[in-house]
Amino acid sequence: MAPDHALIAKMRATIDQDLNIVLTPISHPELGEICIEDNLFAIGRTESPFESYDQDAIAELSRRHARIFSEYGTLYIADLESKNGTTVNGVSVQQKPRVLRHGDEISFGGRLSYRVQLRARGNAPQRVTKRLSVTLSPEHSELGVQPIVIDNFPFLISKSDEAFSRYRDDYPHQVNYLSRRHAHIFLKGGAPFVEDLGSVNGTFVAGQRLEEHAVPLKDGEMLAFGGHHFVYRIGVQNEPPIERTLTKLSLAAARTAPDIGDSDKTTFVAAADSFLNIFCIDNAIRPDDEVNNEVPTQAGDAAKDGEKRRERGRISIFLSELTGALGGAERKTLKRASWGAASLAAALGMVVLMLYLKGEPEREVKNLLASGEYAQAAVAVGKYIESHPDNTELKALGTEALLKAYLPKWLSLLEAREFDNAAAALGVMKEVGARNDDSQPLLSELEWIGNLEKFVMSRGGVNAPIRMYVDEEKTRTLVKYWDEDVKGHQRALARISSYVPEFKDSYAEALSHLRKLQSDDAVYLAAIERLKEAIGAELSADRPENLKAVLKEYAEKYPRLAGLEALRDDLQQYMELRGEARARNLGPLLAVLAKVRFSTPPFQEQLRKLSSSQLPSADTVRQYEAVAKAWREGNTKEALAGLQKMASGPWADVAARQLEHKKSVAEQFKALQPARGTKGYEDLLLAFYGSLNPDDDAYFVRATEGDVAVYKGKALSRAQELLNRAQALWRQYQQNGAIAGEQRLESGISSGFRAQARLLSEAQSGATQGMQIYRLLKADAAAQWAKLQDEINAETELQRRSLQELSMVLEPGLLKAKLALIGDQSGERRSTP
C-alpha cells in the first residue's frame, strides 16, 4: 500500500471535502475514475457519467439507482429501491443508507463495481464557495400559501413538514397530494437543484413534470408540488463568495431576500434536513398518498384554484354532523325538536366547559411564556406534570420555558470558558426539569456540547497536539456519541435553536470542533493504534531496540502526535533495566531499579512482567542492600555473612558469585598491607586497583587511592597496556569470525567455541580494567577506547542473549558452562586479576 493510502486507510470524507472522494472502476477498468466533489452524487443509467457508458456496462442500472452523499463527517450510500440492487463489500444495501470507508467495494446491479478511494488533498487551498438562498414565492397568495425562504440545504418537501402540514385543516386533500418524501432541493456545483423522489403526484418545473433527473432551479421559473395548489415562483439570491466553513443556522437569507411581503407569514428554513432522512426508505410506515386527477400540465393551470371556496374546517363539519345526529331525520313534534335542541346546547356547553378546564394548565403556562416569566413557567410545568404525566403539549411548553429561562446563562458561561460553572448551571436545569422527560434528551445534548468544548479548550484548541495515552478515549467517546444517532442529535439541536436563537452560533462552533475531532479520530487515533500495536509486538518479541526507528518514523509522519518523548525516555530506561536483569548483576540492577520511573502504559506493563520473572523479590532486594551498605563502609565480615544467608532462592548463584568476588577483594587488600615498600608492591597495588568497581568497592578505592596517586603515571601506562591487549584480542576474535549459531547449538563445548569465547571474555576483561583505571584516576581516555569497550560489550551481550534463547534446547548445565565462558555482559569481572 502506498504511503498516502496507509495514512488515510481509516479516514472518512468530511462535509467540507478535506478529502477527494474517488470511485475507481473494478469491473470495467476502461471507464476511468469518478471524482465526487459535491455532497450528493447520483447513480443512474441516465445520469452523468453513466449515460455515456456502453449499454453492456449499465444494463443492470436503474434510472434512479442509488445516491452517494456525505454528511457530518461520514460518507454514505443509499439504494433507491433499484431493480437489481446495490451492495457494499457483497452485502446488500436495502432500506437504510450504509457507511462507506476507504477501500470498500460497491456494486450496482452486480455488473458495475467500483473501489472507494479517499485521497488527501495535501496543502491545496480551501475551496471558495458562494452562499445563496432560494425564495419560493406563492403564485396565488389568495389561497393562503405562505412564502418559503431556504438558506440551508438540503430541504425536504414533505406533507409532514411544517411548511406544508399547516394547511391540512383548510386544504386536507391538497396536503395529501404531497408525499412524505416528495422532492428535495439541494446544492450541486454551488447551484440549487430540485429532484423528485418518486412522488405520486409529481414535481413540476416550468410546467414540465420531472422524471428521474434533478434539474437546476432558475430565477423566475415556476415550481409546483403535487398539483395546482402549491405553486411557487423561484427566486435565487447569491451572496459574495466566502471560504467554505460550517453552515451556521441563521436567518441570513431572510435579510438579503427580495421583498416577500409580511415576513411574519414567511417560513424561514433555518436548519437543513438530513440526507439520511431523505434517502432512508421505510415502506412499513409509508402512508398512501391521494391521487390528484387534476395534476397540471402547465404552470398556468394553478390559477384554477383561485376561485375555489375554502373547504370547511374540521370543527364546522363536526358540529354540522353532530347537530344532524342529535336532531334526527324525523322530528315528530315541535316539543321533541325543542328538547333535542336544548339537549344539544347543554351537551355542547358541557363539552366546552370540560375543554376549557382541561386546557387551564396550558393557558397558564402560555401566559407566563408570553409575559417572559420563563423560570416560573418551567416550575409550574413541573408541578402540573406530577398529576398529568401524559400531557405531551404541557411537557413541550415546559421544555421551551426551561431553555428560555436558563440556556442564555449557560451559553454565556460556555463562551467565557467557565466550564465548571456551565456544568453547574446545567445541573440546575436538570433539577428544574427532572419530571419532564421531554426536556431530558435536549439537556443531554447540551451536556455533550459542554464536554466537547471543555475537552477542546483544555487541549489548547482544535489544532493542538494529540496527546498519546491521554486524548484517545475522550475523543472516541465524543465522536461516538454523535455518530450513533446523527439524525436524532440534529433534530434535538435544531429544536433548541428554535427556542433560543442565540444558541445557533454555539451549535455551529461545536459541530466545527466535532469535525476536527472526527478527522483526528480517522487519522491520528488510527495512527496511535498502529503505534501501540507496533510497540506491543516488539516488546513481546523482545526486540525493544527496533522501537527507536519506529518512534522516529511516527514523529516525522505525524507532527501533532504528542507523547513520543515520554516513550523514548521509557524505552531507554527499559533497555538499561533489561540489560542489567539479564546480566544478573545485583548491584547495578538495584541501582537502575531505584531510579527507573516509567510514565507510559506499555513500559509500566513490561516492568510488571519483569518483576514477576526476572527481577529480584523485595526480600532479596532488602538483603542485598544491607550487604552493599556494609561493604561500602568496610564492614567486610558483615557483608560476607549477609551473602552467605542468600545461598538459596532464584538469586543464589548471583550471591555465591558476589561472595567469591568480595572474599577475593578482601584477601588481596589484606595482602597489600605487609607488601607496602617491597619490590613487588607497585604491581600488586595497580592490579588490585584496576579490579575494583568504583561504586561497589568504594571503601577499597578510598583506602588505596593515596598510594595509587604516587604511581599515577605507571597506573595510566598499565591502563594503556590493558586496552592495547584488549584491542588485539578483539581483532583476533573478529578475524576468526564471531561465534556462530551452529557453535552455540553444539551438544558439547568444541575447541572452536572455547577459543572464541576466551578471546571475547579476555578482551572484555582488559577493556573494562583499563577504562576503570582511567575513571578511578579521573583521567580522560581516548575516544577510541570507549568505542572499543562499547563494541566488545555489545558482542558479549548478543552472544549471551542468543545462548539464553536456547534454554529450551540446551541442557541446563551445558548452557551455564557456555555462558560462563562468554563472561559478564556488563563487562565486570567475576574474578580478580
Side-chain angles (χ1 to χ4, degrees):
M1 183 179 289
D4 59 333
H5 288 182
L7 178 63
I8 62 174
K10 297 185 180 180
M11 284 184 179
R12 293 173 292 184
T14 58
I15 289 177
D16 52 7
Q17 298 296 300
D18 293 331
L19 308 173
N20 284 323
I21 305 169
V22 179
L23 303 184
T24 303
I26 298 175
S27 57
H28 297 74
E30 72 280 1
L31 296 180
E33 294 182 337
I34 300 173
C35 184
I36 302 174
E37 296 187 348
D38 291 301
N39 280 7
L40 179 65
F41 177 69
I43 293 100
R45 67 170 178 264
T46 58
E47 300 284 355
S48 176
F50 304 100
E51 61 181 350
S52 63
Y53 294 169
D54 291 339
Q55 288 301 308
D56 178 64
I58 61 173
E60 302 300 324
L61 277 185
S62 300
R63 288 178 178 272
R64 295 181 70 253
H65 196 104
R67 297 291 183 267
I68 292 176
F69 59 92
S70 60
E71 188 163 280
Y72 288 101
T74 305
L75 187 66
Y76 297 89
I77 186 169
D79 183 81
L80 303 185
E81 297 184 299
S82 63
K83 179 180 178 182
N84 297 304
T86 302
T87 63
V88 177
N89 299 325
V91 179
S92 176
V93 179
Q94 298 177 350
Q95 279 76 26
K96 295 186 178 180
R98 285 279 303 275
V99 173
L100 289 179
R101 294 179 173 82
H102 180 81
D104 282 350
E105 179 180 336
I106 54 177
S107 177
F108 307 109
R111 297 182 62 180
L112 186 61
S113 58
Y114 291 86
R115 180 80 62 196
V116 178
Q117 301 284 335
L118 305 181
R119 300 177 182 172
R121 289 184 181 275
N123 296 322
Q126 283 192 317
R127 290 189 297 170
V128 175
T129 184
K130 291 182 179 180
R131 180 169 173 80
L132 58 80
S133 63
V134 173
T135 302
L136 302 182
S137 303
E139 184 68 2
H140 299 286
S141 57
E142 69 275 10
L143 301 180
V145 181
Q146 297 178 5
I148 301 173
V149 175
I150 308 167
D151 76 337
N152 281 274
F153 302 90
F155 172 58
L156 176 66
I157 288 83
S158 168
K159 67 167 67 178
S160 60
D161 190 274
E162 175 64 18
F164 302 98
S165 64
R166 67 178 63 186
Y167 308 112
R168 189 176 294 279
D169 286 344
D170 294 332
Y171 301 99
H173 294 294
Q174 296 297 337
V175 174
N176 282 337
Y177 291 157
L178 298 179
S179 299
R180 193 164 63 91
R181 291 189 179 89
H182 193 101
H184 71 117
I185 296 173
F186 64 100
L187 294 182
K188 179 180 179 181
F193 276 68
V194 63
E195 179 184 24
D196 188 82
L197 297 172
S199 64
V200 172
N201 295 302
T203 301
F204 302 83
V205 175
Q208 300 297 317
R209 180 165 182 163
L210 300 185
E211 297 300 333
E212 65 275 2
H213 282 301
V215 299
L217 294 178
K218 298 179 181 178
D219 193 67
E221 284 190 341
M222 301 300 296
L223 175 63
F225 306 108
H228 49 64
H229 188 84
F230 295 111
V231 181
Y232 303 89
R233 188 168 298 279
I234 303 167
V236 180
Q237 296 82 40
N238 285 289
E239 295 183 16
I242 59 174
E243 287 193 6
R244 289 179 64 91
T245 183
L246 177 65
T247 302
K248 290 190 177 180
L249 307 180
S250 67
L251 302 182
R255 303 187 190 102
T256 59
D259 183 13
I260 53 177
D262 189 351
S263 62
D264 291 336
K265 295 182 179 180
T266 299
T267 300
F268 295 99
V269 180
D273 286 287
S274 167
F275 280 125
L276 289 170
N277 249 346
I278 292 173
F279 295 114
C280 185
I281 301 166
D282 193 344
N283 294 311
I285 63 172
R286 179 182 295 179
D288 292 333
D289 301 321
E290 290 189 40
V291 178
N292 184 3
N293 295 318
E294 299 180 0
V295 173
T297 56
Q298 298 294 330
D301 291 346
K304 294 178 182 179
D305 197 50
E307 298 176 359
K308 289 186 178 180
R309 179 174 53 87
R310 291 193 177 187
E311 301 178 48
R312 290 181 299 168
R314 287 182 295 179
I315 296 176
S316 302
I317 296 171
F318 168 74
L319 290 176
S320 175
E321 293 181 354
L322 182 62
T323 303
L326 293 176
E330 299 178 358
R331 292 178 175 83
K332 295 182 178 180
T333 64
L334 179 60
K335 181 178 180 179
R336 293 180 66 182
S338 300
W339 179 86
S343 298
L344 173 63
L348 289 175
M350 288 297 294
V351 170
V352 170
L353 179 61
M354 291 174 64
L355 290 174
Y356 180 84
L357 293 175
K358 184 178 180 182
E360 180 60 24
E362 288 89 335
R363 279 192 298 278
E364 179 184 348
V365 172
K366 287 180 180 178
N367 289 336
L368 290 171
L369 283 170
S371 61
E373 299 179 33
Y374 304 128
Q376 188 175 345
V379 172
V381 168
K383 294 179 179 178
Y384 286 132
I385 288 176
E386 282 190 90
S387 54
H388 301 82
D390 298 324
N391 191 327
T392 56
E393 181 181 357
L394 195 60
K395 291 178 181 180
L397 290 172
T399 299
E400 180 181 356
L402 182 69
L403 293 174
K404 286 183 175 179
Y406 298 99
L407 186 56
K409 179 182 178 181
W410 181 85
L411 288 172
S412 65
L413 291 171
L414 197 68
E415 184 177 358
R417 309 306 184 202
E418 297 181 20
F419 299 110
D420 292 339
N421 291 334
L426 186 61
V428 173
M429 296 172 69
K430 289 183 176 181
E431 184 177 351
V432 174
R435 297 186 182 94
N436 187 358
D437 55 19
D438 177 73
S439 65
Q440 295 306 309
L442 304 189
L443 299 183
S444 295
E445 299 294 332
L446 296 179
E447 184 176 24
W448 173 77
I449 286 181
N451 291 336
L452 173 67
E453 294 303 293
K454 181 178 181 180
F455 173 65
V456 168
M457 295 305 142
S458 68
R459 292 175 46 222
V462 291
N463 294 314
I466 298 15
R467 299 167 296 181
M468 192 171 176
Y469 301 112
V470 177
D471 294 336
E472 304 102 291
E473 188 59 33
K474 190 65 175 179
T475 299
R476 289 195 186 95
T477 300
L478 291 167
V479 171
K480 182 181 179 182
Y481 175 86
W482 179 265
D483 288 347
E484 284 181 342
D485 186 15
V486 175
K487 293 188 293 182
H489 299 315
Q490 290 172 344
R491 287 192 295 267
L493 294 171
R495 184 182 172 195
I496 297 172
S497 299
S498 70
Y499 292 143
V500 184
E502 57 264 39
F503 173 70
K504 296 168 185 175
D505 288 342
S506 295
Y507 172 22
E509 184 178 32
L511 290 187
S512 179
H513 293 164
L514 170 66
R515 288 194 313 198
K516 186 62 177 176
L517 290 188
Q518 287 173 325
S519 176
D520 289 343
D521 183 19
V523 180
Y524 274 86
L525 266 59
I528 288 173
E529 287 307 307
R530 293 195 297 273
L531 177 55
K532 288 179 178 178
E533 291 173 4
I535 292 172
E538 297 298 344
L539 291 178
S540 297
D542 199 24
R543 298 189 300 260
E545 60 277 358
N546 292 350
L547 290 177
K548 293 182 179 180
V550 173
L551 296 177
K552 181 180 179 182
E553 177 187 2
Y554 273 78
E556 293 172 350
K557 283 187 176 181
Y558 303 98
R560 288 178 55 231
L561 180 54
L564 295 180
E565 193 58 40
L567 282 169
R568 290 192 190 95
D569 291 343
D570 282 2
L571 174 61
Q572 184 63 35
Q573 292 184 81
Y574 175 71
M575 291 184 68
E576 184 179 3
L577 177 63
R578 168 177 164 268
E580 296 297 351
R582 288 190 165 190
R584 295 177 65 80
N585 293 310
L586 270 173
L589 176 59
L590 296 186
V592 172
L593 270 175
K595 66 181 182 180
V596 72
R597 296 291 183 274
F598 292 128
S599 62
T600 59
F603 290 101
Q604 291 169 347
E605 176 62 23
Q606 285 300 115
L607 178 59
R608 285 190 288 270
K609 290 180 179 179
L610 281 178
S611 298
S612 64
S613 60
Q614 298 185 43
L615 298 182
S617 66
D619 187 52
T620 301
V621 171
R622 283 193 298 272
Q623 287 180 303
Y624 188 81
E625 285 179 342
V627 168
K629 182 175 182 294
W631 185 255
R632 285 194 299 271
E633 292 174 353
N635 299 325
T636 57
K637 290 183 178 180
E638 182 181 341
L640 296 177
L643 286 172
Q644 288 173 340
K645 292 178 181 179
M646 297 173 62
S648 61
W651 291 83
D653 61 324
V654 177
R657 196 173 70 202
Q658 284 286 309
L659 180 61
E660 178 187 351
H661 169 70
K662 284 179 169 50
K663 280 182 178 180
S664 176
V665 170
E667 289 170 0
Q668 288 183 75
F669 180 71
K670 185 178 180 181
L672 277 177
Q673 309 312 313
R676 181 178 283 108
T678 66
K679 183 177 180 182
Y681 177 70
E682 176 185 334
D683 291 336
L684 288 173
L685 174 65
L686 295 179
F688 174 72
Y689 195 70
S691 69
L692 298 177
N693 182 287
D695 298 317
D696 289 348
D697 304 326
Y699 170 78
F700 300 97
V701 170
R702 291 194 302 272
T704 54
E705 62 186 356
D707 286 355
V708 170
V710 176
Y711 305 105
K712 183 175 181 179
K714 292 184 177 181
L716 291 177
S717 297
R718 179 171 177 79
Q720 190 66 46
E721 290 174 3
L722 289 168
L723 290 168
N724 286 333
R725 183 171 184 275
Q727 185 178 57
L729 293 169
W730 173 241
R731 287 175 179 171
Q732 183 62 45
Y733 175 84
Q734 291 178 307
Q735 289 174 1
N736 294 345
I739 299 173
E742 58 268 20
Q743 291 176 303
R744 292 190 295 268
L745 275 169
E746 291 171 343
S747 58
I749 300 178
S750 65
S751 58
F753 180 91
R754 188 182 300 278
Q756 286 296 92
R758 183 185 60 79
L759 287 173
L760 183 60
S761 178
E762 292 184 4
Q764 185 188 50
S765 175
T768 300
Q769 288 184 68
M771 292 301 293
Q772 281 187 178
I773 291 174
Y774 272 108
R775 283 196 295 272
L776 289 168
L777 295 175
K778 298 179 176 58
D780 293 330
Q784 72 178 89
W785 302 125
K787 181 181 178 183
L788 173 67
Q789 186 181 31
D790 289 343
E791 290 177 353
I792 296 172
N793 285 343
E795 174 65 13
T796 304
E797 189 231 355
L798 174 63
Q799 291 297 335
R800 289 184 63 83
R801 186 173 69 243
S802 300
L803 279 169
Q804 288 166 342
E805 290 172 353
L806 299 175
S807 60
M808 301 298 292
V809 178
L810 296 178
E811 187 271 327
L814 177 63
L815 175 61
K816 185 176 181 180
K818 288 187 174 184
L819 286 171
L821 287 172
I822 293 295
D824 286 340
Q825 178 270 344
S826 67
E828 293 179 7
R829 296 168 59 228
R830 292 197 304 271
S831 59
T832 58

